[in-house]
Amino acid sequence: PCQPWGHRGDPVSVGDTGVTLSLMRTLVTEHTRVTLPPPGTLADPVPSCPQAEAWLEEESRRRGWARAAAPGAARAREGLVGVLSEGSAAVMVEVGCETDFVARTPDFQQLVEMAARGVLGHCQGASGTKVGHLLREDELAQVRAGDGGDLLSDHLALAMGRLGERLALRRAGWLRAPGGFVATYAHGWVPPGPAVAMGTYGALVACGGPAGEPPSAELRELGRRVAQHVVGMAPTSLGTPEDELGGDSEPRLLAQGTLLEPGVPLGRYLREHGGLQVWDFLRFQCGEQPPQDSPPA
């Protein structure tokens, strides 16, 4: 049970909310960076842990929205890319912050994971035959965190109030591969472990086996290497399996030299090593200016 006593042994609380100074100190230490209200706001006590937590959450959200709207605030140039796959679909999100220090905090990484899971639910609920889609910042803000959960924009404001920096839900994308799989890769300093892989670069590659066969473990590993290739070589278009080897600045994925065999175009390498088919791909680099061309169809 909470013991709400002030520095003179008398109980104190915030306004008429029943939030005690002792509770505020404890919750601020454990959960947030929100500062205590000025002494003039302290009034009669009614100890309540849930009310204290609710007050802190609302205060964090208020400060987060104020920080987002502040003129001249620094742009969120740092951050993380999060990648999550399930079944024959995978999603990728980019969440920005102002400093690398904040990107390394558990609170920020939890926001990235929440955004990735929200977009996966959005992808799984999408109707029609569309196999890929990009979500810009305004669209991503309207995605909900889980079935019936709050908007990601609300969670963003709450995180800004806690972390003390401007954050941004910069973009997201998803690919589906009916009859195949989506290979994924995230590159950066975040150690592997959680279901949502994170880094400063990420890639999704929609793949399939030869003649519609179920992909083997070997083909899945080859798909992961193609996603790694996409991160490293930054292609901007797919090309065809018959493309000849291009030069150093070749933009077509399947015409680029394979990382393991630079003298062999990737399309030919895949034909000769199990027949992996590449249908589409998506690449994010944290902090880059998103291209203005059309999203995957």
Side-chain angles (χ1 to χ4, degrees):
C2 298
Q3 300 296 327
W5 296 101
H7 66 285
R8 295 182 180 176
D10 299 323
V12 290
S13 67
V14 180
D16 58 358
T17 64
V19 179
T20 67
L21 183 60
S22 175
L23 287 176
M24 291 293 295
R25 283 175 177 153
T26 300
L27 291 169
V28 168
T29 300
E30 293 180 354
H31 301 298
T32 76
R33 290 185 181 181
V34 176
T35 56
L36 292 174
T41 64
L42 300 179
D44 296 331
V46 180
S48 170
C49 283
Q51 283 182 294
E53 291 174 340
W55 186 91
L56 278 174
E57 180 170 325
E58 181 58 34
E59 180 70 0
S60 293
R61 184 178 286 110
R62 182 188 66 79
R63 295 186 181 209
W65 284 122
R67 181 166 285 108
R75 182 187 168 197
R77 297 180 181 274
E78 300 292 332
L80 287 172
V81 171
V83 176
L84 176 64
S85 62
E86 185 175 293
S88 61
V91 303
M92 187 160 54
V93 300
E94 181 189 353
V95 183
C97 58
E98 295 176 31
T99 64
D100 179 67
F101 173 80
V102 162
R104 295 175 182 271
T105 62
D107 274 352
F108 182 80
Q109 293 176 18
Q110 183 180 11
L111 178 64
V112 176
E113 179 173 355
M114 187 181 302
R117 294 189 182 280
V119 174
L120 181 63
H122 178 79
C123 163
Q124 292 171 334
S127 59
T129 59
K130 183 176 288 188
V131 296
H133 187 62
L134 286 178
L135 295 172
R136 302 302 182 188
E137 191 168 349
D138 56 339
E139 298 174 292
L140 182 55
Q142 299 305 307
V143 172
R144 294 194 177 273
D147 187 17
D150 292 335
L151 295 176
L152 289 181
S153 57
D154 289 334
H155 288 284
L156 180 75
L158 185 59
M160 279 191 281
R162 287 177 172 173
L163 294 170
E165 281 194 7
R166 171 175 283 194
L167 311 178
L169 298 164
R170 298 201 68 219
R171 54 179 169 166
W174 51 264
L175 290 177
R176 291 192 294 212
F181 67 100
V182 179
T184 66
Y185 179 72
H187 178 81
W189 46 262
V190 181
V196 178
M198 300 180 198
T200 50
Y201 297 82
L204 310 179
V205 180
C207 305
E213 298 176 4
S216 63
E218 290 77 11
L219 280 185
R220 289 183 177 275
E221 173 58 23
L222 187 56
R224 189 193 70 83
R225 293 184 183 179
V226 173
Q228 188 177 29
H229 177 110
V230 168
V231 164
M233 301 300 290
T236 57
S237 61
L238 182 60
T240 70
E242 292 75 29
D243 287 337
E244 296 296 326
L245 181 66
D248 292 341
S249 59
E250 174 58 57
R252 296 168 297 168
L253 171 62
L254 297 178
Q256 293 178 337
T258 308
L259 294 177
L260 296 177
E261 296 185 27
V264 178
L266 181 60
R268 188 199 311 168
Y269 181 90
L270 297 179
R271 288 202 315 270
E272 296 173 352
H273 291 78
L276 180 72
Q277 300 179 40
V278 176
W279 300 330
D280 205 349
F281 70 91
L282 186 61
R283 179 186 186 272
F284 283 0
Q285 177 180 343
C286 193
E288 69 180 347
Q289 185 65 32
Q292 299 301 312
D293 53 357
S294 301

